[in-house]
Amino acid sequence: MNQAQSAPSPRLLPPILLLGVPGAGKGTQAKRLAQRYRIPHLSTGDIFREMAHSESELGKRVWNDMRQGNLISDDVVCQVVVERLDRDDCRGGYILDGFPRTLPQAVWLMDFLESGPRTAVRVIVIYLTVGYNDLYRRLLGRRSCPTCGRIYNDFTQPPRQAGVCDLDQSPLVQRKDDDPAVIRERLSAYEQQTLPLVEFFRGRGSLLELSGAEAVDRVTERLFAAIEQAALEPPPAGAA
Ligand code: AMP
Ligand code: ZN
């Protein structure tokens, strides 16, 4: 999909937040948005997976939570996010994928954006919905390339050759937390701690709801259209 020429300048884009249950397609879509708008894709899950590989004490604690499907503590998460947002490449906009994931994280972020060094007058929050019946298939079928990060799915987005990345021929890997027992915990954490954010952002007038259940390219087209429309509109009264 090469529509980069008609994409709006990143200077016009407020921060974009992707909300949705694990398996809704946030990571796949975030990568496409990042490419189109030439802005960084910040995935807290990716950051923590990298930390979990380190031998540090914090890395071990992070992995202990991740492998059980638990969320990492808000303090640690917000610290990681503030360090990332502080970098120069976030000046022209960015996509947050998997953050915020709890009400305290959302409140912290809005406060940070209203008063911190990365002031933003508004945010675009995309809520990608998908039925629970699809989720196990999506999560169990998910594979990713350890070299380029591209995400595949054995059921919905298979690579041309089974188990091998189309772009660089690396053998694809499965996330350790895409395992039935851990998936159950992750979905339960989502329902209890993340789902309330939908009402939080709806109440601020900044939520765009979009079905993530359709073909990946179709969802991408809808996302581009929704974001570009939202970027042109004046911020809703009282919205961040
Ligand atoms: P994800 O790749 O977004 O599914 O995240 C993988 C795991 O990283 C989650 O199951 C959590 O353990 C952890 N994680 C990622 N983002 C957050 C967050 N914003 N708050 C707490 N834990 C997170
Ligand atoms: Zn690859």
Side-chain angles (χ1 to χ4, degrees):
M1 195 168 317
N2 184 10
Q3 297 167 1
Q5 267 144 14
S6 56
S9 152
R11 301 238 162 271
L12 300 175
L13 282 180
I16 298 169
L17 277 53
L18 290 182
L19 270 187
V21 66
K26 299 186 299 293
T28 300
Q29 298 297 342
K31 287 185 172 61
R32 293 173 172 211
L33 296 177
Q35 204 174 12
R36 177 168 173 84
Y37 302 122
R38 300 179 302 281
I39 52 178
H41 164 206
L42 277 59
S43 154
T44 42
D46 284 351
I47 295 173
F48 290 130
R49 268 183 287 282
E50 208 165 291
M51 281 172 84
H53 278 124
S54 79
E55 286 297 305
S56 68
E57 265 318 297
L58 184 58
K60 283 183 200 152
R61 270 197 286 144
V62 160
W63 176 235
N64 203 37
D65 281 330
M66 288 178 91
R67 72 186 177 83
Q68 297 182 64
N70 296 334
L71 293 186
I72 289 152
S73 78
D74 291 333
D75 289 354
V76 171
V77 180
C78 293
Q79 185 58 34
V80 159
V81 170
V82 80
E83 281 169 19
R84 185 62 191 84
L85 290 185
D86 234 10
R87 296 202 207 146
D88 280 350
D89 63 346
C90 290
R91 279 180 198 281
Y94 47 87
I95 300 153
L96 283 171
D97 158 15
F99 178 89
R101 218 144 157 153
T102 65
L103 272 177
Q105 289 177 19
V107 169
W108 174 87
L109 177 68
M110 298 325 283
D111 184 51
F112 176 79
L113 293 178
E114 277 156 23
S115 57
R118 280 277 174 265
T119 312
V121 286
R122 62 184 301 208
V123 291
I124 296 178
V125 187
I126 310 274
Y127 175 34
L128 271 186
T129 61
V130 47
Y132 266 61
N133 288 345
D134 279 343
L135 285 178
Y136 275 88
R137 209 168 63 120
R138 281 177 173 232
L139 291 165
L140 290 172
R142 176 156 69 180
R143 301 285 182 275
S144 62
C145 172
T147 306
C148 70
R150 184 156 172 178
I151 301 167
Y152 296 87
N153 190 291
D154 285 347
F155 304 108
T156 55
Q157 278 245 291
R160 282 196 290 271
Q161 187 189 338
V164 177
C165 179
D166 291 349
L167 304 178
D168 49 47
Q169 280 69 53
S170 302
L172 301 180
V173 295
Q174 183 175 31
R175 273 172 55 166
K176 291 209 177 80
D177 59 351
D178 280 344
D179 148 287
V182 186
I183 288 172
R184 261 196 305 279
E185 292 308 315
R186 288 164 61 209
L187 293 180
S188 147
Y190 172 80
E191 270 180 22
Q192 289 171 29
Q193 299 181 74
T194 310
L195 205 52
L197 299 192
V198 171
E199 289 316 315
F200 174 86
F201 286 112
R202 211 195 299 277
R204 303 178 76 100
S206 43
L207 193 85
L208 299 172
E209 191 165 331
L210 234 135
S211 167
E214 293 177 58
V216 181
D217 287 349
R218 184 88 189 100
V219 177
T220 308
E221 279 168 26
R222 294 227 169 119
L223 264 174
F224 288 168
I227 288 172
E228 286 156 34
Q229 176 70 32
L232 293 173
E233 284 168 0

